[in-house]
Amino acid sequence: MNAVSKDSQAQAISKSGVNEMADQKIQEVDRSFYDFKDDESKGFYRMKEGLTKEIVEQLSEEKKDPLWMRQFRLKCLDIYNSLKVPDWGPSIDGLDMDRITNYVRSKSDMKGNWEDVPEEIKNTFDKLGIPQAERESLAGVGAQYDSELVYHNLQKEVADQGVVYIGFEDAVSGEYQDMVKEYFMKLVPPTDHKFAALHGAVWSGGSFVYVPKGVHVEVPLQSYFRLNAKGAGQFEHTLIIVDEGADVHFIEGCSAPKYNVANLHAGCVELYVKKNARLRYSTIENWSKNMYNLNTKRAIVEEGGRMEWVSGSFGSHVSYLYPTTILKGDNSHCEFTGITFAGAGQNLDTGAKMIHIGKNTSSYINTKSISKGGGISTYRSSVVIEKTAKHAKASVDCASLMLDDISRSDTIPAMDVRTADADVGHEAKIGRISDEAVFYLMSRGISESEARAMIVSGFASPVSKELPLEYAAEMNNLIKLEMEGM
């Protein structure tokens, strides 16, 4: 991050004797931190815009796909052309697929040693703190730049446990090809919606994770996705299989610089949690505000398994994002904790879906949404209790905070309960920052803008406290950035 001068720091610290370090961090955050970009004309390969059979075949050739994957891509293209654009959320009329490039990559191959990554790409991820995070607290790291992984590494002690964490393309063509064929786009079939079919046709990059039976990975795995190219799409595929009794935490980070044309993110995440296994999947998305984020995430949980989602959505022009969990096995459980911050020019349609199938299943959705500057935040949830889900328990708690009188917040919950032997509840709250709370903090020597930022950070604390320290700090910094000028 760009630091301010020493004099400015001293002024920041002297503003109040209360929470001096918090004041300093507010001053140090540079609004343009994520907005730097690299010159794409140097060392990059870019396919032409649009989506045709010829382009999909060219992409498949570029990826050296096995025959089954090439055929799958072409089948998905046919499905894509047959489906209508989803009509349940905000308008995406500004997205013109004829002007989107579906594949951009560096001319450098993926590296297993950070020092071998091209300098301009390495500088990008250095700014984002990826190598530092790897050294300090992560078991494995994958870094994707535009359409391809540029770096991937797994700590030896984790690999010695039998954990597999590799680039998805390596899994498709290598020794794990049969496992990929068994699971790939089975949870999210291309017929699910138009952009799932698009993903199946043009996916590129992503991660494959397999955690063997009984293995507990003590420190997180992480993938970071950076979309640098103008007018491009990113379509990474993440497939994670956590075998019986295993446990892992996977972290995903996303960012992109801002352009004056549309960019598209239509990734796909498929998570398989086996009997008595546990998976925590944490995400902080900070896409630029010209991004259409049409991502699909889905998990299926077997008997006694546990799925935990932690999600922070701070960027994009329009988002459709509803992580879905299928509680298939008896006594399986899921928790979803999420926050969405919609500022000026943003229309973020987010939420979660829970499908209870097994007996004694339980789920809890806890979401927070914040809107300011005319931003629109819509919480959309779906809880389905099937006839077989005897004694299921489901609870939904969503709270919205509007920071001015020109923003909007909507809550659209759906409950489909098909058995009388279930306990289902929903609670929703919408409000504004209390003038009394702001006045109280100001009476303690805190400025009005800092007081409001502190209140919003407190509102978001159920999410930040669930994140690893460095990601909680990033989320709080993003909130402070959004609060500037209030």
Side-chain angles (χ1 to χ4, degrees):
M1 294 184 184
N2 295 332
V4 297
S5 68
K6 291 181 180 178
D7 289 343
S8 298
Q9 287 183 2
Q11 292 171 8
I13 294 172
S14 65
K15 280 185 177 181
S16 169
V18 180
N19 201 2
E20 292 180 352
M21 287 304 293
D23 278 351
Q24 186 178 10
K25 287 181 181 178
I26 290 173
Q27 294 298 316
E28 289 177 347
V29 174
D30 184 346
R31 179 179 293 278
S32 63
F33 175 58
Y34 293 95
D35 211 29
F36 60 89
K37 58 197 72 169
D38 298 329
D39 184 355
E40 192 187 322
S41 65
K42 299 177 181 179
F44 288 85
Y45 168 78
R46 182 183 183 105
M47 290 179 61
K48 67 180 182 179
E49 298 173 347
L51 185 62
T52 64
K53 181 180 179 181
E54 290 71 28
I55 287 174
V56 173
E57 288 178 334
Q58 181 185 353
L59 174 60
S60 186
E61 184 68 27
E62 182 76 28
K63 314 299 281 179
K64 299 180 174 57
D65 283 338
L67 178 61
W68 69 270
M69 181 59 76
R70 178 186 293 253
Q71 293 172 341
F72 183 84
R73 288 185 187 274
L74 292 173
K75 178 183 177 182
C76 288
L77 177 62
D78 290 339
I79 296 170
Y80 171 82
N81 289 327
S82 70
L83 294 176
K84 294 181 179 179
V85 173
D87 60 1
W88 65 78
S91 170
I92 55 174
D93 289 345
L95 177 64
D96 183 356
M97 288 304 300
D98 290 334
R99 295 181 178 273
I100 294 290
T101 298
N102 294 306
Y103 184 73
V104 182
R105 65 166 170 80
S106 164
K107 291 182 180 178
S108 170
D109 295 332
M110 186 183 74
K111 307 298 183 183
N113 187 322
W114 184 249
E115 297 307 315
D116 295 333
V117 174
E119 197 65 29
E120 67 275 8
I121 297 177
K122 188 164 62 176
N123 288 341
T124 292
F125 285 103
D126 278 336
K127 291 177 183 177
L128 295 167
I130 305 307
Q132 180 181 353
E134 176 189 9
R135 288 192 295 268
E136 292 179 356
S137 59
L138 298 169
V141 173
Q144 180 158 332
Y145 190 93
D146 290 331
S147 300
E148 293 287 358
L149 285 172
V150 293
Y151 172 69
H152 212 285
N153 193 28
L154 181 65
Q155 290 184 7
K156 183 178 184 300
E157 53 267 37
V158 179
D160 288 346
Q161 292 181 283
V163 175
V164 178
Y165 178 33
I166 59 177
F168 191 71
E169 292 169 23
D170 291 336
V172 167
S173 301
E175 62 178 298
Y176 301 101
Q177 182 176 166
D178 289 343
M179 191 178 293
V180 171
K181 287 178 71 174
E182 180 181 354
Y183 291 100
F184 175 65
M185 295 203 78
K186 298 297 195 298
L187 262 183
V188 183
T191 52
D192 203 60
H193 58 81
K194 190 174 183 71
F195 290 96
L198 172 66
H199 175 89
V202 299
W203 73 267
S204 186
S207 300
F208 174 79
V209 177
Y210 172 71
V211 184
K213 291 182 179 180
V215 171
H216 287 223
V217 183
E218 299 298 331
V219 287
L221 306 176
Q222 173 189 277
S223 281
Y224 199 98
F225 302 102
R226 175 72 175 178
L227 180 56
N228 177 75
K230 179 179 181 180
Q234 192 170 63
F235 307 97
E236 79 286 347
H237 195 91
T238 301
L239 175 59
I240 300 177
I241 303 164
V242 188
D243 217 331
E244 291 185 16
D247 189 318
V248 70
H249 182 189
F250 191 88
I251 305 171
E252 174 186 76
C254 321
S255 70
K258 185 176 181 180
Y259 291 104
N260 59 359
V261 298
N263 275 32
L264 170 63
H265 178 239
C268 182
V269 175
E270 296 184 292
L271 310 175
Y272 293 84
V273 183
K274 301 295 186 177
K275 183 177 180 180
N276 296 324
R278 173 182 175 269
L279 171 59
R280 168 167 283 209
Y281 196 94
S282 301
T283 305
I284 292 291
E285 294 191 352
N286 186 34
W287 296 117
S288 55
K289 293 182 181 179
N290 61 302
M291 178 73 75
Y292 287 82
N293 183 28
L294 310 176
N295 206 9
T296 307
K297 300 181 179 183
R298 197 162 295 165
I300 187 166
V301 188
E302 303 292 346
E303 180 184 348
R306 183 181 182 92
M307 179 69 213
E308 301 171 3
W309 301 91
V310 182
S311 177
S313 299
F314 292 87
S316 74
H317 173 54
V318 171
S319 274
Y320 286 24
L321 182 60
Y322 324 98
T324 300
T325 304
I326 303 168
L327 295 169
K328 179 182 177 183
D330 294 348
N331 302 300
S332 55
H333 175 76
C334 180
E335 293 182 12
F336 178 90
T337 305
I339 186 166
T340 300
F341 199 129
Q346 292 182 272
N347 193 331
L348 307 186
D349 200 276
T350 64
K353 299 180 181 180
M354 300 288 178
I355 302 171
H356 293 248
I357 298 175
K359 299 182 183 67
N360 300 308
T361 51
S362 57
S363 67
Y364 176 52
I365 298 174
N366 179 20
T367 68
K368 308 282 188 179
S369 64
I370 304 164
S371 53
K372 62 162 282 195
I376 301 172
S377 178
T378 301
Y379 167 75
R380 192 184 301 270
S381 72
S382 173
V383 175
V384 178
I385 312 290
E386 297 286 1
K387 291 180 180 180
T388 54
K390 302 296 184 182
H391 310 295
K393 294 182 179 180
S395 176
V396 178
D397 186 353
C398 55
S400 300
L401 188 63
M402 292 183 290
L403 304 184
D404 51 44
D405 58 2
I406 61 172
S407 300
R408 177 174 169 177
S409 182
D410 293 316
T411 300
I412 308 174
M415 303 284 186
D416 182 357
V417 182
R418 305 181 185 185
T419 176
D421 299 322
D423 184 354
V424 181
H426 177 266
E427 181 178 357
K429 293 173 285 187
I430 297 178
R432 296 183 179 181
I433 291 178
S434 163
D435 290 338
E436 289 80 5
V438 174
F439 178 78
Y440 174 82
L441 292 172
M442 291 177 67
S443 72
R444 297 301 186 267
I446 299 171
S447 71
E448 181 177 356
S449 62
E450 290 166 349
R452 291 181 180 276
M454 289 175 66
I455 293 169
V456 172
S457 293
F459 179 76
S461 64
V463 179
S464 61
K465 73 181 182 182
E466 296 294 336
L467 291 166
L469 180 60
E470 65 275 15
Y471 281 85
E474 178 183 5
M475 192 190 88
N476 287 330
N477 282 336
L478 288 170
I479 289 173
K480 291 167 186 172
L481 282 176
E482 294 286 356
M483 290 299 294
E484 284 186 357
M486 286 296 295

Coordinates of all heavy atoms in Angstrom, one line a residue, residues 248-254 269 271 278-285 297 299 306-314 321 323-325 334-340 351-352 354 364-368 460-469 471-472 475:
V248 N -10.3 -29.1 5.9 CA -9.4 -28.2 5.2 C -10.1 -26.8 5.2 O -11.4 -26.7 5.2 CB -9.1 -28.7 3.8 CG1 -10.3 -28.6 2.9 CG2 -7.9 -27.8 3.2
H249 N -9.3 -25.8 5.1 CA -9.8 -24.4 4.9 C -9.2 -23.9 3.7 O -8.0 -23.9 3.5 CB -9.4 -23.5 6.1 CG -9.9 -22.1 6.1 ND1 -9.5 -21.1 6.9 CD2 -10.8 -21.5 5.2 CE1 -10.0 -20.0 6.6 NE2 -10.8 -20.2 5.6
F250 N -10.1 -23.4 2.8 CA -9.7 -22.9 1.5 C -10.1 -21.4 1.4 O -11.2 -21.1 1.7 CB -10.3 -23.7 0.3 CG -9.7 -23.4 -1.0 CD1 -8.6 -24.1 -1.5 CD2 -10.3 -22.4 -1.8 CE1 -8.1 -23.8 -2.8 CE2 -9.8 -22.1 -3.1 CZ -8.7 -22.8 -3.6
I251 N -9.1 -20.6 1.0 CA -9.3 -19.1 0.9 C -9.2 -18.7 -0.6 O -8.3 -19.1 -1.3 CB -8.3 -18.4 1.7 CG1 -8.3 -18.8 3.2 CG2 -8.6 -16.9 1.7 CD1 -7.2 -18.3 4.0
E252 N -10.1 -17.8 -0.9 CA -10.2 -17.3 -2.3 C -10.2 -15.8 -2.3 O -11.0 -15.2 -1.5 CB -11.4 -17.8 -3.0 CG -11.7 -17.3 -4.4 CD -13.0 -17.8 -4.9 OE1 -14.1 -17.3 -4.5 OE2 -13.0 -18.7 -5.7
G253 N -9.3 -15.2 -3.0 CA -9.3 -13.7 -3.1 C -9.4 -13.3 -4.6 O -8.9 -14.0 -5.5
C254 N -10.0 -12.2 -4.8 CA -10.3 -11.7 -6.2 C -10.1 -10.2 -6.3 O -10.6 -9.5 -5.4 CB -11.7 -12.1 -6.7 SG -12.3 -13.7 -6.2
V269 N -17.4 -22.9 -8.8 CA -16.9 -23.6 -7.6 C -17.7 -24.8 -7.3 O -19.0 -24.7 -7.1 CB -16.8 -22.7 -6.4 CG1 -16.3 -23.4 -5.2 CG2 -15.9 -21.5 -6.7
L271 N -17.9 -28.1 -4.6 CA -17.3 -28.6 -3.4 C -18.0 -29.9 -2.9 O -19.2 -29.9 -2.8 CB -17.4 -27.5 -2.3 CG -17.0 -26.1 -2.7 CD1 -17.3 -25.1 -1.6 CD2 -15.5 -26.1 -3.0
R278 N -15.1 -31.8 6.9 CA -15.4 -30.4 7.1 C -14.6 -29.6 6.1 O -13.4 -29.8 5.9 CB -15.0 -30.0 8.6 CG -15.1 -28.5 8.8 CD -14.6 -28.2 10.2 NE -14.6 -26.7 10.5 CZ -13.5 -25.9 10.3 NH1 -12.4 -26.5 9.8 NH2 -13.6 -24.7 10.5
L279 N -15.3 -28.6 5.6 CA -14.7 -27.7 4.6 C -15.1 -26.3 5.0 O -16.3 -26.0 5.1 CB -15.1 -28.0 3.2 CG -14.7 -27.0 2.1 CD1 -13.1 -26.8 2.1 CD2 -15.2 -27.4 0.7
R280 N -14.2 -25.4 5.1 CA -14.5 -24.0 5.3 C -14.0 -23.3 4.0 O -12.8 -23.5 3.6 CB -13.8 -23.3 6.5 CG -13.8 -21.8 6.5 CD -13.5 -21.2 7.8 NE -14.6 -21.3 8.8 CZ -14.8 -20.5 9.7 NH1 -14.0 -19.4 9.9 NH2 -15.8 -20.7 10.6
Y281 N -14.8 -22.5 3.4 CA -14.5 -21.8 2.1 C -14.7 -20.3 2.3 O -15.8 -19.9 2.5 CB -15.4 -22.3 1.0 CG -14.9 -22.0 -0.4 CD1 -14.1 -22.9 -1.1 CD2 -15.2 -20.8 -1.0 CE1 -13.7 -22.6 -2.4 CE2 -14.8 -20.5 -2.3 CZ -14.0 -21.4 -3.0 OH -13.5 -21.1 -4.2
S282 N -13.6 -19.6 2.4 CA -13.7 -18.1 2.6 C -13.3 -17.3 1.4 O -12.4 -17.7 0.7 CB -12.7 -17.8 3.7 OG -12.9 -18.5 4.9
T283 N -14.1 -16.3 1.1 CA -13.9 -15.5 -0.1 C -13.9 -14.0 0.3 O -14.8 -13.6 1.0 CB -14.9 -15.7 -1.1 OG1 -15.0 -17.1 -1.4 CG2 -14.7 -15.0 -2.4
I284 N -13.0 -13.2 -0.3 CA -13.1 -11.8 -0.3 C -13.0 -11.3 -1.7 O -12.0 -11.5 -2.4 CB -12.0 -11.1 0.6 CG1 -12.2 -11.4 2.0 CG2 -12.0 -9.6 0.3 CD1 -13.4 -10.7 2.7
E285 N -14.1 -10.8 -2.3 CA -14.2 -10.4 -3.7 C -14.1 -8.9 -3.7 O -15.0 -8.2 -3.1 CB -15.4 -10.9 -4.3 CG -15.5 -12.4 -4.5 CD -16.6 -12.8 -5.4 OE1 -17.5 -12.0 -5.8 OE2 -16.7 -14.1 -5.7
K297 N -21.4 -21.1 -7.2 CA -20.8 -21.8 -6.2 C -21.7 -22.8 -5.6 O -22.9 -22.5 -5.2 CB -20.2 -20.9 -5.1 CG -19.2 -19.9 -5.6 CD -18.7 -19.1 -4.4 CE -17.6 -18.1 -4.9 NZ -17.1 -17.3 -3.8
A299 N -22.1 -26.7 -3.1 CA -21.5 -27.7 -2.3 C -22.5 -28.8 -2.0 O -23.7 -28.5 -1.9 CB -20.9 -27.1 -0.9
R306 N -19.7 -31.2 7.4 CA -19.9 -29.8 7.8 C -19.3 -28.9 6.7 O -18.2 -29.0 6.4 CB -19.3 -29.5 9.1 CG -19.5 -28.1 9.7 CD -18.8 -27.9 11.0 NE -19.1 -26.6 11.6 CZ -20.1 -26.3 12.4 NH1 -20.9 -27.3 12.8 NH2 -20.2 -25.1 12.8
M307 N -20.2 -28.0 6.2 CA -19.7 -27.0 5.3 C -19.9 -25.6 5.9 O -20.9 -25.2 6.5 CB -20.6 -27.1 4.0 CG -20.3 -26.1 2.9 SD -18.7 -26.4 2.2 CE -18.2 -24.7 1.8
E308 N -18.8 -24.8 5.7 CA -18.9 -23.4 6.2 C -18.5 -22.4 5.1 O -17.4 -22.6 4.5 CB -17.9 -23.3 7.4 CG -18.2 -24.2 8.6 CD -17.2 -24.2 9.7 OE1 -16.2 -23.4 9.5 OE2 -17.3 -25.0 10.6
W309 N -19.3 -21.4 4.9 CA -19.0 -20.4 3.9 C -18.8 -19.1 4.7 O -19.5 -18.7 5.5 CB -20.2 -20.1 3.0 CG -20.7 -21.3 2.1 CD1 -21.7 -22.2 2.5 CD2 -20.3 -21.6 0.8 NE1 -21.9 -23.0 1.4 CE2 -21.0 -22.7 0.4 CE3 -19.3 -21.1 -0.1 CZ2 -20.9 -23.3 -0.9 CZ3 -19.2 -21.7 -1.3 CH2 -20.0 -22.8 -1.7
V310 N -17.7 -18.4 4.3 CA -17.5 -17.0 4.7 C -17.3 -16.2 3.5 O -16.3 -16.4 2.7 CB -16.3 -16.9 5.7 CG1 -16.2 -15.5 6.2 CG2 -16.5 -17.9 6.9
S311 N -18.1 -15.2 3.3 CA -18.1 -14.5 2.0 C -18.2 -12.9 2.2 O -19.1 -12.4 2.9 CB -19.3 -14.9 1.2 OG -19.4 -14.2 -0.1
G312 N -17.3 -12.2 1.6 CA -17.3 -10.8 1.5 C -17.4 -10.3 0.1 O -16.4 -10.6 -0.7
S313 N -18.4 -9.5 -0.3 CA -18.5 -9.0 -1.7 C -18.5 -7.5 -1.6 O -19.4 -6.9 -1.1 CB -19.8 -9.5 -2.3 OG -19.9 -10.9 -2.4
F314 N -17.4 -6.9 -2.2 CA -17.2 -5.5 -2.1 C -17.1 -4.8 -3.5 O -17.1 -3.6 -3.6 CB -15.9 -5.2 -1.4 CG -16.1 -5.5 0.1 CD1 -15.8 -6.8 0.5 CD2 -16.5 -4.6 1.0 CE1 -15.9 -7.1 1.9 CE2 -16.7 -4.9 2.3 CZ -16.3 -6.2 2.8
L321 N -24.8 -13.7 -7.1 CA -23.9 -14.7 -6.3 C -24.7 -15.3 -5.2 O -25.1 -14.6 -4.2 CB -22.7 -13.9 -5.7 CG -21.7 -14.8 -5.0 CD1 -21.1 -15.9 -5.8 CD2 -20.6 -13.9 -4.4
P323 N -24.2 -18.7 -3.2 CA -23.6 -20.1 -2.9 C -24.7 -21.0 -2.3 O -25.5 -20.6 -1.5 CB -22.6 -19.7 -1.8 CG -22.2 -18.3 -2.1 CD -23.4 -17.6 -2.6
T324 N -24.7 -22.2 -2.9 CA -25.7 -23.2 -2.6 C -25.1 -24.4 -1.9 O -24.1 -24.9 -2.3 CB -26.4 -23.6 -3.9 OG1 -27.0 -22.5 -4.5 CG2 -27.5 -24.7 -3.7
T325 N -25.8 -24.9 -0.9 CA -25.4 -26.1 -0.2 C -26.5 -27.2 -0.2 O -27.6 -26.9 0.1 CB -25.0 -25.8 1.2 OG1 -24.0 -24.8 1.3 CG2 -24.4 -27.1 1.9
C334 N -24.6 -26.9 7.7 CA -24.0 -25.8 6.9 C -24.2 -24.5 7.6 O -25.3 -24.2 8.1 CB -24.5 -25.8 5.5 SG -23.8 -24.4 4.5
E335 N -23.2 -23.6 7.6 CA -23.3 -22.3 8.0 C -22.8 -21.3 6.9 O -21.8 -21.6 6.3 CB -22.5 -22.0 9.3 CG -23.0 -22.8 10.5 CD -22.2 -22.5 11.8 OE1 -21.4 -21.5 11.7 OE2 -22.4 -23.2 12.8
F336 N -23.6 -20.3 6.7 CA -23.2 -19.3 5.7 C -23.1 -17.9 6.4 O -24.1 -17.5 7.0 CB -24.1 -19.2 4.5 CG -23.8 -18.1 3.5 CD1 -23.0 -18.4 2.5 CD2 -24.3 -16.8 3.7 CE1 -22.6 -17.5 1.5 CE2 -23.9 -15.9 2.7 CZ -23.1 -16.2 1.7
T337 N -22.0 -17.3 6.4 CA -21.8 -15.9 6.9 C -21.3 -15.0 5.8 O -20.2 -15.3 5.2 CB -20.8 -16.0 8.1 OG1 -21.2 -16.9 9.1 CG2 -20.7 -14.6 8.8
G338 N -22.1 -14.0 5.5 CA -21.7 -13.1 4.4 C -22.0 -11.7 4.6 O -22.8 -11.3 5.4
I339 N -21.2 -10.8 3.9 CA -21.4 -9.4 3.9 C -21.3 -8.9 2.5 O -20.5 -9.3 1.7 CB -20.5 -8.6 4.9 CG1 -20.9 -7.2 4.9 CG2 -19.0 -8.8 4.4 CD1 -20.3 -6.4 6.1
T340 N -22.2 -7.9 2.1 CA -22.2 -7.3 0.8 C -22.2 -5.7 1.0 O -22.9 -5.2 1.9 CB -23.4 -7.7 0.0 OG1 -23.4 -9.1 -0.2 CG2 -23.4 -7.0 -1.4
G351 N -26.8 -13.7 -1.9 CA -27.5 -14.4 -0.8 C -27.0 -15.8 -0.7 O -25.8 -16.1 -0.9
A352 N -27.8 -16.8 -0.3 CA -27.4 -18.2 -0.2 C -28.6 -19.1 -0.3 O -29.8 -18.6 -0.2 CB -26.8 -18.4 1.2
M354 N -30.0 -23.1 0.7 CA -29.8 -24.4 1.4 C -30.9 -25.4 1.0 O -32.1 -25.0 1.0 CB -30.0 -24.1 2.9 CG -29.0 -23.1 3.5 SD -27.3 -23.8 3.6 CE -26.4 -22.4 4.2
Y364 N -27.6 -22.6 8.9 CA -27.8 -21.2 9.5 C -27.2 -20.2 8.5 O -26.0 -20.4 8.1 CB -27.1 -21.2 10.8 CG -27.1 -19.8 11.4 CD1 -28.3 -19.1 11.6 CD2 -25.9 -19.2 11.8 CE1 -28.3 -17.8 12.1 CE2 -25.9 -17.9 12.4 CZ -27.1 -17.2 12.6 OH -27.1 -15.9 13.1
I365 N -28.0 -19.3 8.1 CA -27.6 -18.2 7.2 C -27.6 -16.9 8.0 O -28.6 -16.5 8.5 CB -28.5 -18.1 6.0 CG1 -28.5 -19.3 5.1 CG2 -28.1 -16.9 5.1 CD1 -29.5 -19.3 4.0
N366 N -26.4 -16.2 8.0 CA -26.3 -15.0 8.7 C -25.6 -14.0 7.7 O -24.5 -14.1 7.4 CB -25.4 -15.1 10.0 CG -25.3 -13.8 10.7 OD1 -26.0 -12.9 10.5 ND2 -24.3 -13.8 11.6
T367 N -26.4 -13.0 7.2 CA -25.9 -12.1 6.3 C -26.0 -10.6 6.7 O -27.0 -10.3 7.4 CB -26.5 -12.2 4.9 OG1 -27.9 -11.8 5.0 CG2 -26.4 -13.7 4.4
K368 N -25.1 -9.8 6.3 CA -25.2 -8.4 6.5 C -25.0 -7.7 5.1 O -24.2 -8.1 4.3 CB -24.0 -7.9 7.4 CG -23.9 -8.6 8.7 CD -24.9 -8.2 9.7 CE -24.6 -8.8 11.0 NZ -25.6 -8.4 12.1
A460 N -20.2 -5.2 10.6 CA -19.6 -6.3 9.7 C -18.8 -7.3 10.5 O -18.3 -8.3 10.0 CB -18.7 -5.7 8.6
S461 N -18.6 -7.1 11.8 CA -17.7 -8.0 12.6 C -18.1 -9.4 12.6 O -17.2 -10.3 12.7 CB -17.7 -7.5 14.1 OG -18.9 -7.6 14.7
P462 N -19.4 -9.9 12.5 CA -19.6 -11.3 12.4 C -18.9 -12.0 11.2 O -18.6 -13.2 11.3 CB -21.2 -11.4 12.3 CG -21.7 -10.1 12.9 CD -20.6 -9.1 12.5
V463 N -18.6 -11.2 10.2 CA -17.9 -11.8 9.1 C -16.4 -11.7 9.3 O -15.7 -12.7 9.2 CB -18.3 -11.1 7.7 CG1 -17.5 -11.7 6.6 CG2 -19.8 -11.2 7.5
S464 N -15.9 -10.5 9.7 CA -14.5 -10.3 9.8 C -13.9 -11.3 10.9 O -12.8 -11.7 10.7 CB -14.2 -8.9 10.1 OG -14.7 -8.5 11.3
K465 N -14.6 -11.6 11.9 CA -14.1 -12.4 13.0 C -13.9 -13.9 12.5 O -13.2 -14.6 13.2 CB -14.9 -12.3 14.2 CG -16.3 -13.0 14.2 CD -17.0 -12.8 15.5 CE -18.3 -13.6 15.5 NZ -19.1 -13.4 16.8
E466 N -14.6 -14.2 11.4 CA -14.5 -15.6 10.9 C -13.4 -15.7 9.9 O -13.1 -16.9 9.5 CB -15.8 -16.0 10.2 CG -17.0 -16.0 11.1 CD -16.9 -17.1 12.2 OE1 -16.2 -18.1 11.9 OE2 -17.6 -17.0 13.2
L467 N -12.7 -14.6 9.5 CA -11.7 -14.7 8.5 C -10.3 -14.8 9.2 O -10.1 -14.3 10.3 CB -11.7 -13.4 7.6 CG -12.9 -13.3 6.7 CD1 -13.0 -11.8 6.2 CD2 -12.8 -14.3 5.5
P468 N -9.3 -15.3 8.5 CA -7.9 -15.3 9.0 C -7.6 -13.8 9.1 O -8.1 -12.9 8.4 CB -7.1 -15.9 7.8 CG -8.1 -16.8 7.1 CD -9.4 -16.1 7.2
L469 N -6.6 -13.5 10.0 CA -6.3 -12.2 10.4 C -6.0 -11.2 9.2 O -6.5 -10.1 9.1 CB -5.0 -12.2 11.3 CG -4.6 -10.8 11.8 CD1 -5.7 -10.1 12.6 CD2 -3.3 -11.0 12.6
Y471 N -7.0 -11.4 6.1 CA -8.2 -11.2 5.3 C -9.2 -10.3 6.0 O -9.9 -9.5 5.4 CB -8.8 -12.5 4.8 CG -8.0 -13.1 3.7 CD1 -6.9 -13.9 3.9 CD2 -8.4 -12.8 2.4 CE1 -6.2 -14.4 2.8 CE2 -7.7 -13.3 1.3 CZ -6.6 -14.1 1.5 OH -5.9 -14.6 0.5
A472 N -9.2 -10.5 7.4 CA -10.1 -9.6 8.1 C -9.6 -8.1 8.0 O -10.4 -7.2 7.9 CB -10.1 -10.0 9.6
M475 N -10.6 -6.8 4.7 CA -12.0 -6.5 4.6 C -12.3 -5.2 5.3 O -13.1 -4.3 4.8 CB -12.9 -7.6 5.2 CG -14.4 -7.5 5.0 SD -15.4 -8.6 5.9 CE -15.6 -7.6 7.4

